[in-house]
Amino acid sequence: MRRGRKSRFSGLLALIVPVLLLAAVWMFARGAERLDEGRGDEARARLEDAIRRGCTACYAAEGSYPESLDYLEEHYGLQIDREHYAVFYEPFGANLMPNFTVLERKP
């Protein structure tokens, strides 16, 4: 009788362990995916801040906002990873802060 109980327990354990391992792997993968999403949001926010700071520095130094992102890249050291981000830049005039949007490109 004791062997019967032990074999049932070991049979049940043989079913539960793989399911638990699969669940743990799935949870780990999901957590890693969310961590990557968070990093992407931070990098996008840093790029937005860099553009804003570049525009402000240009206005302070030259008395007008830059007409293009290329100008910020050439004269103020702005670096944009165009493979990962799309930046839409709309200047309104020399004395108005340009409107810009940074979007993350998804592969």
Side-chain angles (χ1 to χ4, degrees), residues 38-58:
R39 286 183 187 160
D41 290 342
E42 286 180 26
R44 185 184 50 75
R46 282 194 307 268
L47 178 56
E48 288 175 348
D49 288 342
I51 294 170
R52 192 172 294 108
R53 283 192 313 268
C55 288
T56 303
C58 181

Side-chain angles (χ1 to χ4, degrees), residues 70-85:
D70 293 335
Y71 190 83
L72 285 174
E73 289 176 311
E74 291 173 20
H75 299 282
Y76 290 90
L78 178 68
Q79 296 179 353
I80 300 172
D81 181 359
R82 295 188 191 276
E83 184 177 323
H84 291 103
Y85 299 98

Side-chain angles (χ1 to χ4, degrees), residues 6-104:
K6 202 172 196 179
S7 67
R8 281 188 217 161
F9 178 72
S10 63
L12 184 61
L13 191 61
L15 292 173
I16 291 175
V17 170
V19 170
L20 290 176
L21 286 175
L22 183 61
V25 168
W26 181 80
M27 288 174 29
F28 177 78
R30 209 43 207 140
E33 183 179 308
R34 287 187 181 177
L35 184 62
D36 284 342
E37 288 173 3
R39 286 183 187 160
D41 290 342
E42 286 180 26
R44 185 184 50 75
R46 282 194 307 268
L47 178 56
E48 288 175 348
D49 288 342
I51 294 170
R52 192 172 294 108
R53 283 192 313 268
C55 288
T56 303
C58 181
Y59 187 78
E62 300 179 23
S64 63
Y65 287 105
E67 291 184 19
S68 68
L69 286 173
D70 293 335
Y71 190 83
L72 285 174
E73 289 176 311
E74 291 173 20
H75 299 282
Y76 290 90
L78 178 68
Q79 296 179 353
I80 300 172
D81 181 359
R82 295 188 191 276
E83 184 177 323
H84 291 103
Y85 299 98
V87 181
F88 300 95
Y89 185 86
E90 297 177 75
F92 293 116
N95 62 345
L96 296 173
M97 178 71 141
N99 186 24
F100 60 90
T101 304
V102 177
L103 299 175
E104 187 175 358

